[in-house]
Amino acid sequence: MLVMRLSDLDPERAGAELAAWATAFARGQIRHPLLAPALESGERWAARISPAGKHALSQGDVREPTVITGGGSGDDHFQAAVTSTRVLLCAGKRVVQAWPISELHDIRALDNLTGAALLPYEPNPDYDDRFDTLMSALAPSGGGLAQLVPHQLHRAVHLDWLKFEAACAAHQDRLGAWTAALPRRLATIAATARQGV
């Protein structure tokens, strides 16, 4: 679900929608889109965000992302997708890159809901490691000349980045705990966004 501005996020409504989605995902009831990579045996579809791209983010950017975290690499014309077993960067039905969820320590949606970091291990605060992060594309927030002004650029906010987290939680048999923690997480995200307005 696309959210126009993070400060407009309604935590209760978003929480209800994500909880309903989590139940449907656990039951294998999420429909596989037509223009999406084929599923492997036993694999279940979860979510897709388009347009999106891959960026390498530092731990600091993962912890405290900004509206243009990741810069403008020009590679944000793909789709990011997640299934019950894989995270995918794809172009329609073609898989550009895949990350097996079984090889990841965790998937963390950025707190500004503009992407999801793929963590192969728990980040060590003593190092400045970089992590593959799938992110929404940059888009101008105004028209005309505003498109050329850097402060008018932002990344699209998608609630569905939390589904990437949920797919990892389900793979690790902790979807129930993820869903239970969701109301507090959404309330914190919304409160932080409103303070920044």
Side-chain angles (χ1 to χ4, degrees):
M1 176 174 111
L2 179 65
V3 179
M4 295 312 292
R5 293 186 320 166
L6 195 57
S7 58
D8 293 336
L9 178 68
D10 178 344
E12 288 184 23
R13 180 175 167 230
E17 289 179 15
L18 284 167
W21 171 88
T23 299
F25 175 66
R27 294 177 179 162
Q29 297 173 335
I30 305 299
R31 290 182 43 170
H32 180 253
L34 287 175
L35 290 175
L39 296 175
E40 296 177 344
S41 177
E43 189 175 28
R44 292 173 287 123
W45 185 259
R48 176 175 61 184
I49 294 173
S50 178
K54 180 183 86 166
H55 300 270
L57 295 191
S58 69
Q59 291 186 59
D61 283 339
V62 170
R63 277 191 311 273
E64 296 180 26
T66 66
V67 292
I68 58 168
T69 291
S73 71
D75 291 335
D76 290 337
H77 57 277
F78 298 109
Q79 297 92 42
V82 65
T83 71
S84 57
T85 60
R86 297 180 295 163
V87 177
L88 307 169
L89 185 66
C90 49
K93 293 186 175 191
R94 183 175 62 88
V95 174
V96 176
Q97 189 168 355
W99 295 263
I101 293 177
S102 62
E103 295 178 10
L104 296 174
H105 170 72
D106 202 3
I107 298 174
R108 291 193 191 150
L110 302 180
D111 285 342
N112 63 1
L113 300 181
T114 61
L118 313 178
L119 306 176
Y121 50 85
E122 181 65 37
N124 183 331
D126 294 333
Y127 298 101
D128 189 25
D129 296 334
R130 299 185 80 73
F131 300 100
D132 285 344
T133 304
L134 299 181
M135 302 186 74
S136 305
L138 281 173
S141 58
L145 291 177
Q147 293 181 5
L148 304 175
V149 182
H151 72 272
Q152 291 288 337
L153 291 174
H154 69 283
R155 289 195 181 278
V157 174
H158 285 276
L159 194 60
D160 286 357
W161 287 117
L162 289 166
K163 295 177 182 178
F164 284 64
E165 263 188 15
C168 183
H171 192 272
Q172 298 172 349
D173 295 322
R174 53 183 181 84
L175 184 59
W178 180 88
T179 304
L182 193 56
R184 184 174 183 204
R185 172 96 186 271
L186 288 168
T188 300
I189 288 171
T192 301
R194 289 185 186 110
Q195 288 173 359
V197 171

